[in-house]
Amino acid sequence: MREHAVVISGGGPTGLMLAGELALAGIDVAIVERRENQEIVGSRAGGLSSRTLEVLDQRGIVDRFLKEGQIAQVTGFAVTRLDISDFPTRHNYGLALRQKHIERILAGWVDELPVPIYRGREMTGFADDGTGVTVELSDGASLRAGYLVGCDGGRSLVRKIAGIAFPGWDATTSNILAEAEMEEEPPLGVHRTVLGMHAFGREEYEIRDGKVVFASEGPINVMVTEKTAGGTGEPTLGDLKQALIDACGTDYGIHSLKWISRFTDMSRQAAAYRKGRVLLAGDAAHVHSPVGGQGLNTGVQDAVNLGWKLAQVVKGISPESLLDTYHAERYPVAARVLRTTMAQVALQRTDDRTEALRDILLELLGMEEPRKRIAAEMSGLAIHYDLGEGHPLLGRRMPDLGLATPDGPLRVYTLLKNARPVLLNLGAPGSLDITAWSDRVQLVDAGYDGAWELPALGAVSAPTAVLIRPDGYVAWVGEGTQDGLREAVNSWFGPPDSRRERG
């Protein structure tokens, strides 16, 4: 029986990101993935949000994605484009990039670390005996792990076997996605009818002046709302033809399917993200309509929140109770995502009352404060973990400031490349003492004279020091004193090393 400190079920974006985070921390982690390779059939997520790009920048790999994607300086809410080009971030845009490319690039990064992937196998069962988890695979083999993380999608077997409830709301709409040939060219772009949304496009496209311009040749990508939401299982070409006729009055002579699938606006969230030595992340923990493009991004950020915490527990640096902060922090984020996607689905209706509501919302989003607030939320830049009262930075993402250091200019995010915490001292050099944690926390003396600004909130007072977690969120803010620093370091990064303290 092969043994690993952590086994991840599912090698999609969430599983890959989590594996990378754990590997950076020196944890023996393995992935179980049913696919023989990273290829995806069909269309899934189509881009990365501003905050996810920042997260990838923190690990030094964002350029790999930027090289292949297309920048659009907007986010969206209910098909309303919201400009974020004035947001205080180096990545004040979204990146259009299909999931198949996102996964391929992430897998390439994970391969460099490296992480073993048991491909062509599925987890069929597991048993948590309190000291570890025995994982059964479809080929009859078994793995032993200290912890098991289910990154195995909305139908998560890990969640079901663990007995974790998945409450929420049933589907009210159902859509068919497909790629096929059409005898007649459909009107490319997004359209609304009394039945809901439908759209036509092609695999190849460019973003010009913020607008999508599709290639003039090639198969057609189709998304169409079905007349009823009761469909289950894999749709057929006949289902697709009927849905097109219902929505458009014609099926455009559609034929030669390359792939076809169905998605709904079912919204559910795991009641607990952890049960004993079993944890959930990504779609295994939350499912919702893809409108707004938050699903993949939320999952990747789940992984970055969980990775360093799980690594510290595995190493014995922190008690298991640190894992409880994963649910405490990420559950409210996904709960809010469920609410925003449900609201956007409701606003896609075309009856007169919904049209009136949409008109009012458009007026509001045309104003600066509402635009900034909603755009910050949709781009992931507004995430705020409740770490108590204090400076506005506390619990929020650390801005990627340009610092002056004794070794020359440095960006904050380059300090996070190895997923280690950082105590950034912006006061007098040597004024902060964390000797007892020097093997765990990087202490960096630096200067910064520019403005401190947070998305949607605006300018905030300049701190004299900040304690930055490996996920890029601020765990403590110094305002001229060390008050609370030792408690914060102890809480997040384990008790002090008494030998170092004496030294």
Side-chain angles (χ1 to χ4, degrees):
M1 185 185 296
R2 293 287 300 274
E3 293 191 13
H4 300 281
V6 179
V7 167
I8 298 169
S9 178
T14 302
L16 289 168
M17 192 73 208
L18 179 58
E21 293 289 291
L22 290 165
L24 282 176
I27 300 300
D28 174 16
V29 56
I31 296 173
V32 176
E33 169 54 45
R34 60 180 175 78
R35 291 174 290 172
E36 295 285 355
N37 52 52
Q38 212 61 45
E39 290 181 10
I40 295 175
V41 176
S43 176
R44 299 190 185 181
L48 298 171
S49 69
S50 181
R51 178 57 191 154
T52 304
L53 292 169
E54 286 189 336
V55 164
L56 297 169
D57 199 349
Q58 290 170 186
R59 299 300 178 256
I61 57 174
V62 72
D63 288 344
R64 305 184 189 193
F65 297 87
L66 295 175
K67 187 169 65 176
E68 296 200 32
Q70 299 190 59
I71 286 173
Q73 284 178 310
V74 293
T75 185
F77 185 85
V79 202
T80 303
R81 290 153 50 90
L82 302 173
D83 184 12
I84 59 172
S85 61
D86 61 344
F87 274 23
T89 168
R90 295 180 192 273
H91 302 288
N92 55 351
Y93 47 79
L95 187 73
L97 185 65
R98 298 195 188 278
Q99 182 170 334
K100 62 182 180 181
H101 301 304
I102 295 170
E103 286 199 22
R104 172 175 49 78
I105 297 168
L106 277 175
W109 173 58
V110 168
D111 283 346
E112 294 166 11
L113 293 173
V115 173
I117 301 180
Y118 296 94
R119 291 197 176 276
R121 281 166 273 192
E122 295 184 66
M123 187 206 77
T124 56
F126 68 83
D128 177 358
D129 59 21
T131 61
V133 185
T134 302
V135 180
E136 305 297 337
L137 303 184
S138 55
D139 64 353
S142 299
L143 300 175
R144 181 69 176 171
Y147 291 87
L148 170 65
V149 187
C151 299
D152 50 344
R155 297 183 179 91
S156 171
L157 184 60
V158 172
R159 186 188 66 238
K160 291 172 182 173
I161 294 176
I164 297 173
F166 202 43
W169 296 266
D170 292 335
T172 64
T173 64
S174 177
N175 296 72
I176 294 177
L177 280 174
E179 184 176 5
E181 301 286 348
M182 285 184 169
E183 293 175 5
E184 182 183 344
E185 177 91 352
L188 302 182
V190 180
H191 312 277
R192 283 193 298 119
T193 70
V194 292
L195 287 180
M197 305 289 297
H198 66 272
F200 303 102
R202 286 193 170 91
E203 184 73 13
E204 302 300 323
Y205 64 90
E206 290 182 18
I207 295 178
R208 300 177 193 162
D209 299 323
K211 295 183 178 180
V212 177
V213 180
F214 292 102
S216 57
E217 295 180 349
I220 301 292
N221 288 326
V222 181
M223 183 202 78
V224 61
T225 302
E226 296 183 88
K227 204 167 187 177
T228 62
T232 58
E234 195 77 356
T236 66
L237 179 58
D239 294 331
L240 176 56
K241 286 183 174 183
Q242 187 58 54
L244 284 169
I245 291 169
D246 291 338
C248 309
T250 176
D251 63 12
Y252 298 100
I254 193 165
H255 63 93
S256 304
L257 274 179
K258 291 187 70 174
W259 54 261
I260 188 168
S261 64
R262 173 183 278 128
F263 72 85
T264 73
D265 68 334
M266 180 178 70
S267 300
R268 296 188 178 279
Q269 187 173 15
Y273 282 21
R274 175 190 171 214
K275 187 174 181 181
R277 291 178 170 269
V278 179
L279 299 110
L280 303 175
D283 289 354
H286 39 77
V287 296
H288 51 81
S289 166
V291 63
Q294 291 180 284
L296 180 150
N297 292 280
T298 304
V300 166
Q301 291 172 50
D302 285 346
V304 176
N305 183 285
L306 174 60
W308 65 274
K309 296 174 181 177
L310 185 53
Q312 288 184 182
V313 172
V314 167
K315 289 178 176 179
I317 293 171
S318 296
E320 273 206 343
S321 58
L322 182 64
L323 295 178
D324 295 333
T325 68
Y326 169 58
H327 174 96
E329 292 179 353
R330 293 304 298 172
Y331 184 92
V333 171
R336 182 68 180 172
V337 169
L338 262 64
R339 289 291 181 174
T340 57
T341 54
M342 289 167 68
Q344 290 175 86
V345 170
L347 285 165
Q348 288 179 347
R349 298 179 189 132
T350 54
D351 60 90
D352 291 343
R353 287 173 174 78
T354 306
E355 292 282 5
L357 177 60
R358 189 183 299 107
D359 289 344
I360 296 295
L361 186 66
L362 283 171
E363 287 181 24
L364 288 171
L365 292 177
M367 302 174 188
E368 280 296 276
E369 186 175 343
R371 189 249 325 165
K372 287 183 177 180
R373 180 178 291 246
I374 297 299
E377 181 166 354
M378 298 303 294
S379 61
L381 296 171
I383 291 171
H384 179 208
Y385 299 137
D386 183 6
L387 304 187
E389 297 295 319
H391 191 282
L393 275 169
L394 188 63
R396 289 189 167 90
R397 55 176 273 290
M398 177 66 187
D400 187 21
L401 307 177
L403 305 172
T405 75
D407 299 321
L410 194 67
R411 287 199 296 128
V412 168
Y413 286 2
T414 61
L415 297 171
L416 296 170
K417 183 177 180 181
N418 295 321
R420 288 188 62 202
V422 175
L423 177 58
L424 185 60
N425 178 27
L426 300 165
S431 59
L432 298 178
D433 179 19
I434 55 163
T435 304
W437 291 274
S438 58
D439 61 331
R440 286 172 244 160
V441 182
Q442 305 170 73
L443 174 57
V444 178
D445 292 319
Y448 176 72
D449 297 324
W452 288 75
E453 189 178 358
L454 296 176
L457 289 185
V460 299
S461 60
T464 56
V466 283
L467 179 63
I468 310 167
R469 307 188 322 188
D471 57 1
Y473 289 84
V474 176
W476 172 83
V477 181
E479 298 181 84
T481 73
Q482 289 197 66
D483 292 351
L485 174 59
R486 289 179 65 87
E487 291 82 358
V489 177
N490 184 81
S491 172
W492 291 110
F493 309 118
D497 184 331
S498 57
R499 293 167 302 176
R500 291 177 182 273
E501 201 158 25
R502 284 197 300 270

